[in-house]
Amino acid sequence: MNHKILICDDEDTIRETLKFILGDFYSLFLVNSVEQALYTLENNTDIQITLLDIKMPKGKKLDALKEIKSRFPHIKIIMITGYRSVETAAEASRLGAVGYIVKPFKAEEILETVRKVTVLPS
Ligand SMILES: [Mg+2]
């Protein structure tokens, strides 16, 4: 349980699914708003990874990524998205995201992506 992961998604089922997949291997923080994500990161400085829904209720696509990255540059962010878009994936990567997962995802895909990210240098 070394790695701490923040999961930020406004859909209950996505948060619960990710918790089910990752919960045995990582310490998780689950939130459903960007405000809560920022608050949680501020108060838990040992969180290294965030799984972030690309479209949260407030703000445009990728706004949350920009905001988290500007305030917490060291956080490794994996985007979760509802549709595959090469342009959006490229833009997310340019803004500092280190992973991009398209729903519906498989458990192995999540575990593999997170595992890869945990070994990246900070
Ligand atoms: Mg959403």
Side-chain angles (χ1 to χ4, degrees):
M1 285 286 218
N2 312 328
H3 288 91
K4 298 194 173 175
I5 301 180
L6 172 67
I7 292 170
C8 177
D9 198 305
D10 58 312
E11 273 178 67
D12 297 352
T13 52
I14 297 292
R15 287 197 311 279
E16 287 307 312
T17 305
L18 290 169
K19 180 181 169 186
F20 181 76
I21 295 170
L22 294 163
D24 286 346
F25 310 104
Y26 302 98
S27 304
L28 304 179
F29 297 77
L30 297 136
V31 300
N32 61 12
S33 72
V34 178
E35 291 75 18
Q36 282 181 52
L38 295 167
Y39 179 85
T40 304
L41 289 171
E42 218 160 76
N43 290 283
N44 298 275
T45 50
D46 49 355
I47 294 175
Q48 302 101 332
I49 297 173
T50 295
L51 267 64
L52 178 62
D53 179 19
I54 206 157
K55 188 69 189 85
M56 294 296 287
K58 285 188 208 159
K60 295 193 301 266
K61 207 167 58 166
L62 299 173
D63 276 0
L65 169 62
K66 284 182 206 163
E67 181 148 16
I68 293 173
K69 261 312 203 188
S70 71
R71 291 182 52 183
F72 307 94
H74 66 286
I75 300 286
K76 295 166 183 167
I77 302 180
I78 297 167
M79 302 307 296
I80 307 282
T81 178
Y83 49 95
R84 192 176 296 281
S85 156
V86 176
E87 278 160 40
T88 308
E91 177 70 355
S93 154
R94 194 184 66 76
L95 292 168
V98 291
Y100 195 84
I101 289 168
V102 183
K103 291 182 268 190
F105 44 72
K106 293 199 175 82
E108 308 90 76
E109 202 182 336
I110 296 289
L111 289 166
E112 177 61 18
T113 304
V114 169
R115 205 178 307 120
K116 274 188 201 153
V117 166
T118 58
V119 300
L120 286 176
S122 310

